[in-house]
């Protein structure tokens, strides 16, 4: 028997019941259950929520999405497993949140070429194969891209050395921050505010946007520049749920997915600039290294990041590195 988390089973059974009934009444329309691993109506759920609006508008009478919600409905690190097991049909989630199932998913953060190129050069196809094998999933769209991560601190540093600092992480930052001497503690985004408030951590990893969503600006003194990597959040569908759809239903999802993926880079280009300015106005000071130290820091990020991916996936890691990195 597959494991259905107790906190979720009621919602699932209820929505299954409703879908079952409506399925019998109107043969064509299908309703998919969807969750997000980020708080609803915040930066990293926004692209997914637009995708849902697109599908629900274009898919009337054909396909609809029932948006169950975010971390209040399901803990973020459970979302990958729920998608894999078909507890939900659709998920908005970043690779770092399901590395236990598919370590290669964390490599999305290391892409230096756009999705349009990866969809042509074999990089996407290789990942799609791994999604089918390890996640029982079809990758529909990357809705966050071109969105660097940063280190945020409450203690100042003047060189790329994190010795003595305790930092909040996810798998995104683990290898890099540890390689720079930090002690790390993993938490979901929903626990960052309290960790800062209680002084449990001296800082945290997070992208350039979204610091204001959960009020962390009140508890953040410094941002370290430069940023590194790029955040990835993507829409996945359970493979069995996908295989059950007819051509018309798939076409609605595919079109909405393509539109949402195409918006990611232009959206974040603007949002990155806007949040950089907003952080400065909110009094978050920038720590900038010398040019030589900035290069050391940035190169170390990629070196440690790829070493981590290759350690966890010696077979696929080197292939992904070739396809995801910018031409030297
Ligand atoms: O810091 C995080 O929680 C994280 O890994 C992440 C990934 C993508 C977007 C935002 C945060």
């Amino acid at each position: 028997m597959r494991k259905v988390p107790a906190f979720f089973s009621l919602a699932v059974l209820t929505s299954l019941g409703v879908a079952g009934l409506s399925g019998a009444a109107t043969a064509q329309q299908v309703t998919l259950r969807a969750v997000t691993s980020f708080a609803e109506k915040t930066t990293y759920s926004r692209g997914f929520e637009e995708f849902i609006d697109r599908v629900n508008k274009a898919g009337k009478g054909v396909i609809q999405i029932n948006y169950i919600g975010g971390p209040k409905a399901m803990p973020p690190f459970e979302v990958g497993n729920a998608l894999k097991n078909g507890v939900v049909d659709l998920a908005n989630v970043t690779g770092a949140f399901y590395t236990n199932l598919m370590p290669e998913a964390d490599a999305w953060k290391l892409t230096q070429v756009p999705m349009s190129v990866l969809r042509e050069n074999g990089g996407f196809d290789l990942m799609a194969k791994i999604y089918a094998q390890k996640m029982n999933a079809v990758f529909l769209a990357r809705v966050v891209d071109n969105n660097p991560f940063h280190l945020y601190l409450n203690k100042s540093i003047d060189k790329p050395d994190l010795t003595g600092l305790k930092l909040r992480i996810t798998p995104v930052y683990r290898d890099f921050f540890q390689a720079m001497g930090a002690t790390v503690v993993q938490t979901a985004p929903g626990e960052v505010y309290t960790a800062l408030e209680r002084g449990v951590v001296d800082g945290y990893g997070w992208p350039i946007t979204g610091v204001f969503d959960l009020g962390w600006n009140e508890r953040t003194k410094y941002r370290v520049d430069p940023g590194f990597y790029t955040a990835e959040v993507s829409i996945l569908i359970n493979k069995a749920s996908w295989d059950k759809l007819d051509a018309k239903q798939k076409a609605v999802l595919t079109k909405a997915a393509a539109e949402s993926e195409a918006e990611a880079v232009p959206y974040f280009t603007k949002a990155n600039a806007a949040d950089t300015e907003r952080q400065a106005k909110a009094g978050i000071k920038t720590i900038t290294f010398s040019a030589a130290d900035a290069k050391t820091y940035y190169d170390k990020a990629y070196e440690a990041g790829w070493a981590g991916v290759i350690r966890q996936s010696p077979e696929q890691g080197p292939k992904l590195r070739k396809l995801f990195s910018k031409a030297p």
Side-chain angles (χ1 to χ4, degrees):
M1 246 198 44
R2 76 175 186 230
K3 205 168 129 245
V4 177
F7 60 87
F8 203 63
S9 52
L10 186 62
V12 168
L13 291 177
T14 311
S15 74
L16 275 176
V18 171
L21 283 178
S22 66
T26 55
Q28 314 91 319
Q29 179 164 309
V30 68
T31 301
L32 302 177
R33 294 152 290 150
V35 292
T36 172
S37 51
F38 294 92
E40 287 168 57
K41 309 267 186 215
T42 62
T43 304
Y44 295 100
S45 291
R46 188 206 62 89
F48 186 49
E49 288 164 356
E50 287 204 351
F51 168 83
I52 292 172
D53 287 346
R54 283 195 166 103
V55 170
N56 286 347
K57 259 187 214 137
K60 287 206 174 80
V62 177
I63 186 166
Q64 292 290 290
I65 296 173
N66 173 18
Y67 185 31
I68 291 159
K72 284 193 193 117
M74 182 179 289
F77 298 126
E78 302 274 352
V79 167
N81 207 30
L83 190 276
K84 178 178 178 178
N85 293 333
V87 170
V88 296
D89 303 302
L90 276 170
N92 180 61
V93 62
T94 182
F97 290 3
Y98 52 90
T99 50
N100 54 328
L101 304 171
M102 177 179 164
E104 295 89 352
D106 197 29
W108 286 125
K109 72 187 180 193
L110 299 166
T111 56
Q112 292 175 314
V113 288
M115 286 301 284
S116 53
V117 172
L118 295 175
R119 282 185 183 271
E120 304 269 301
N121 79 354
F124 179 84
D125 292 343
L126 176 54
M127 286 297 259
K129 223 181 269 170
I130 308 172
Y131 273 93
Q133 280 167 5
K134 298 194 175 174
M135 288 296 289
N136 189 28
V138 174
F139 186 103
L140 287 179
R142 178 174 184 166
V143 288
V144 177
D145 200 351
N146 184 39
N147 181 231
F149 291 101
H150 285 261
L151 168 61
Y152 296 87
L153 287 175
N154 283 326
K155 288 181 183 163
S156 189
I157 56 172
D158 57 13
K159 57 181 191 304
D161 179 359
L162 307 178
T163 308
L165 295 173
K166 190 166 177 194
L167 304 175
R168 174 271 172 186
I169 57 144
T170 66
V172 164
Y173 326 92
R174 180 186 296 275
D175 293 301
F176 177 36
F177 290 175
Q178 280 183 334
M180 309 263 300
T183 304
V184 297
V185 45
Q186 177 159 313
T187 84
E191 290 153 36
V192 171
Y193 189 96
T194 310
L196 292 167
E197 188 179 34
R198 296 191 183 152
V200 173
V201 294
D202 303 308
Y204 57 96
W206 191 256
I208 188 67
T209 52
V211 165
F212 294 87
D213 286 343
L214 302 176
W216 304 342
N217 52 300
E218 294 165 12
R219 303 279 168 190
T220 305
K221 289 195 181 136
Y222 307 101
R223 185 189 70 245
V224 177
D225 282 1
F228 51 90
Y229 309 156
T230 171
E232 167 270 333
V233 181
S234 301
I235 304 171
L236 308 179
I237 183 166
N238 173 274
K239 200 171 169 320
S241 308
W242 173 257
D243 288 342
K244 270 187 232 143
L245 301 177
D246 66 23
K248 218 170 146 190
Q249 292 161 340
K250 284 181 182 168
V252 173
L253 291 184
T254 306
K255 182 165 184 282
E259 288 168 3
S260 290
E261 185 167 288
E263 273 181 14
V265 169
Y267 175 84
F268 279 99
T269 302
K270 279 194 198 145
N272 295 347
D275 264 37
T276 303
E277 198 181 321
R278 192 171 170 202
Q279 286 182 21
K281 283 202 178 121
I284 297 175
K285 294 192 181 75
T286 310
I287 295 174
T288 312
F289 298 135
S290 71
D293 282 352
K295 185 173 178 342
T296 304
Y297 178 82
Y298 187 84
D299 290 350
K300 183 92 162 182
Y302 282 90
E303 185 197 311
W306 278 118
V309 170
I310 291 166
R311 187 180 65 241
Q312 297 208 59
S313 181
E315 198 196 330
Q316 311 295 358
K319 291 186 225 163
L320 292 171
R321 184 175 198 167
K322 266 200 201 107
L323 295 162
F324 282 13
S325 302
K326 74 171 169 255

